[in-house]
Amino acid sequence: MRLVLLSGGSGKRLWPLSSDARSKQFLKVLSDEDGNKVSMVQRVWKQIEEIGMAENSIIATSSSQVDMIKTQLGQDVHVVTEPERRDTFPAIALAAVYLYSVQKCGVDEVVGMLPVDPYVENRFFDRVQDLEAALLASGADLALMGVKPTYPSAKYGYIIPDNQTHNSYLTVDYFKEKPTELQAEQLIEQNALWNCGVFAFKLGYIIDLLKERGMPVEYSQLLRNYHRLPKKSFDYEVVERANHIISLPYDGYWKDLGTWNTLTEEMAVQVTGKGVIGKGVKNSHIVNELGIPITLLGLDNVVVAASPDGILVTDKDASTKVKEYVEGFNARPMYEERRWGWYRVLEYTRYAEGNEVLIKRLGINAGKNLSYQMHYKRSEVWTIVKGEGIFVFNDQLSHVRTGDVIHIPLGAKHTLKATTHMEIIEVQTGSELIEEDIYRTSHEWDEIEALCKVKLTARFG
């Protein structure tokens, strides 16, 4: 059996920590058994490693999340990257074709799909593996895993079985998305299950579906034709059209940590970052990524979350509505983690004359390097405030250290590799300070170094 973990979305219900640049699954707000801060994706990946399935697992995601995944899980994790975001059906189709044409899996291989961020016990993943036997025994098109409800929730979708009984699985009659609590009570009386977004199919089921639609089933070709796939959910495009669907019940612990209300229930501490909660305050939390302290007095059942992207103060019961209010916030990300480290925006100014200035603080981890790049709409000034490394400027290498100031004009190729952990203050000045003004030559240091040596040989050879 192969597993595909779906990592997408921005999780704006956890704004301001979660955004398009840093989705909820990467927030390090949970604790492991040793008390270390871990993210949802790190917790899930460790559980998959513990059941011995990591080697047979891949992560399907968008290009904006690849750096974060590699940083948190390691460079060896297999990642399938969408060329553009197009919903869950295209993402799953691309992952299936990757397994088929790149990893050479057979059409009878059973593939399990699951979100990258469920908060569950280890035995949840044992149950995921049970989907394979149930799918093969039943001859179904799809096998879903459903969680036995513990209360009539209006937040989840429901899987409603028919009246047929089987030893190990249920036959699905229909689905109900986010009913009222009264409807949920009635569904639970019919043995309905929460739909936790976990399902399995034979690889050939999706490959045949793509062939029927005239889509390529070779990975590089599908990447080039990705825009032709319908921008629709897997539920709408596949599940609703399947003839035979079964479900496996799971009666263990499961929770979707998609809101501040549910997330804070699983946090080991009430205060993360600089903050103080007054005596007698009940069930309130502070999550603070800023360098200034937050004090919370006399307010029960409250979350205060602060990051460079904004500050949220909300009653926990109302926190589920935050997405409605921040959908229109489309400002540039103020903090991001990258494969080489991180950056934080300190200040951004656009002057009436049209000129822009952006000031960042960058942290580059020892042994890591920025991509070899150039810009045509901005110049940069780097002030090294910590560490030392190797700077490349137009194919020339030089050693730099704390206190050095580097001027990078328009059109100059440049990069930096940290020999020790480095921190830099970067001042960008130009007409348009956008990601599209980065023209990358290479990401790999060996390639950059070889290019510089070739230039040196040509000059002096």
Side-chain angles (χ1 to χ4, degrees), residues 42-229:
Q42 286 175 316
R43 187 177 188 274
V44 165
W45 192 255
K46 184 178 179 182
Q47 290 175 307
I48 289 174
E49 286 179 327
E50 288 173 349
I51 65 165
M53 284 293 291
E55 287 296 316
N56 291 327
S57 299
I58 63 175
I59 298 178
T61 188
S62 60
S63 57
S64 63
Q65 295 187 7
V66 172
D67 279 358
M68 195 79 79
I69 288 169
K70 296 279 189 177
T71 297
Q72 294 199 356
L73 303 184
Q75 298 300 311
D76 296 331
V77 173
H78 290 289
V79 177
V80 175
T81 309
E82 292 181 277
E84 59 178 283
R85 284 186 175 177
R86 293 193 66 78
D87 217 323
T88 53
F89 170 68
I92 290 170
L94 186 65
V97 168
Y98 177 85
L99 291 172
Y100 177 69
S101 71
V102 177
Q103 294 198 343
K104 304 301 181 184
C105 295
V107 292
D108 289 328
E109 182 80 55
V110 174
V111 180
M113 295 275 172
L114 64 153
V116 79
D117 56 359
Y119 191 82
V120 292
E121 307 161 295
N122 280 18
R123 69 187 184 97
F124 176 88
F125 295 97
D126 295 327
R127 194 61 170 153
V128 170
Q129 293 181 90
D130 291 341
L131 288 171
E132 179 175 23
L135 184 75
L136 297 177
S138 65
D141 298 324
L142 298 168
L144 282 65
M145 195 164 84
V147 176
K148 288 189 176 180
T150 53
Y151 65 100
S153 172
K155 297 183 297 182
Y156 303 135
Y158 285 74
I159 303 168
I160 297 88
D162 63 15
N163 294 321
Q164 300 180 46
T165 58
H166 306 276
N167 291 331
S168 59
Y169 60 86
L170 305 172
T171 303
V172 176
D173 188 9
Y174 67 98
F175 299 90
K176 178 68 176 178
E177 268 303 307
K178 297 181 179 179
T180 64
E181 287 191 11
L182 179 59
Q183 290 173 327
E185 286 181 7
Q186 296 169 346
L187 292 173
I188 291 172
E189 290 176 1
Q190 301 173 49
N191 297 318
L193 305 169
W194 285 337
N195 190 348
C196 59
V198 177
F199 55 92
F201 51 78
K202 280 188 178 181
L203 185 56
Y205 183 69
I206 300 301
I207 298 302
D208 288 345
L209 187 151
L210 291 171
K211 287 179 178 178
E212 289 169 8
R213 299 183 177 202
M215 295 300 295
V217 292
E218 197 279 323
Y219 183 65
S220 61
Q221 292 179 20
L222 187 60
L223 280 173
R224 290 193 293 271
N225 288 273
Y226 197 69
H227 62 283
R228 292 175 51 205
L229 288 168

Side-chain angles (χ1 to χ4, degrees), residues 142 144 175 199 234-243 245:
L142 298 168
L144 282 65
F175 299 90
F199 55 92
F234 188 83
D235 285 349
Y236 178 83
E237 200 67 14
V238 178
V239 177
E240 292 183 11
R241 304 181 187 191
N243 295 318
I245 305 175

Side-chain angles (χ1 to χ4, degrees), residues 4-23:
V4 177
L5 282 72
L6 299 173
S7 178
S10 61
K12 286 187 176 179
R13 288 181 297 169
L14 291 177
W15 185 90
L17 268 66
S18 182
S19 64
D20 287 332
R22 184 174 49 150
S23 297

Side-chain angles (χ1 to χ4, degrees), residues 71 335-343 363-365 368 421:
T71 297
Y335 175 85
E336 284 195 73
E337 290 182 31
R338 296 290 181 88
R339 58 177 181 80
W340 41 262
W342 53 268
Y343 78 77
I364 308 171
N365 298 326
K368 300 294 184 179
H421 176 73

Side-chain angles (χ1 to χ4, degrees), residues 213-335:
R213 299 183 177 202
M215 295 300 295
V217 292
E218 197 279 323
Y219 183 65
S220 61
Q221 292 179 20
L222 187 60
L223 280 173
R224 290 193 293 271
N225 288 273
Y226 197 69
H227 62 283
R228 292 175 51 205
L229 288 168
K231 196 173 185 179
K232 295 177 180 176
S233 71
F234 188 83
D235 285 349
Y236 178 83
E237 200 67 14
V238 178
V239 177
E240 292 183 11
R241 304 181 187 191
N243 295 318
H244 185 193
I245 305 175
I246 66 165
S247 181
L248 281 188
Y250 169 70
D251 60 2
Y253 191 81
W254 173 85
K255 184 179 283 189
D256 175 14
L257 303 186
T259 67
W260 282 112
N261 202 357
T262 55
L263 179 61
T264 52
E265 289 174 355
E266 303 301 336
M267 292 173 61
V269 294
Q270 284 186 276
V271 178
T272 301
K274 290 187 176 181
V276 176
I277 295 179
K279 292 181 179 179
V281 173
K282 299 176 182 177
N283 195 34
S284 289
H285 284 76
I286 293 173
V287 183
N288 185 10
E289 293 187 333
L290 303 178
I292 55 176
I294 293 174
T295 303
L296 175 58
L297 305 176
L299 295 174
D300 296 338
N301 203 49
V302 163
V303 174
V304 179
S307 85
D309 287 300
I311 297 173
L312 171 71
V313 181
T314 178
D315 175 84
K316 286 189 177 181
D317 294 335
S319 67
T320 57
K321 300 177 182 177
V322 66
K323 185 178 179 180
E324 301 171 20
Y325 294 92
V326 303
E327 283 287 6
F329 293 178
N330 294 313
R332 70 167 59 246
M334 302 299 284
Y335 175 85

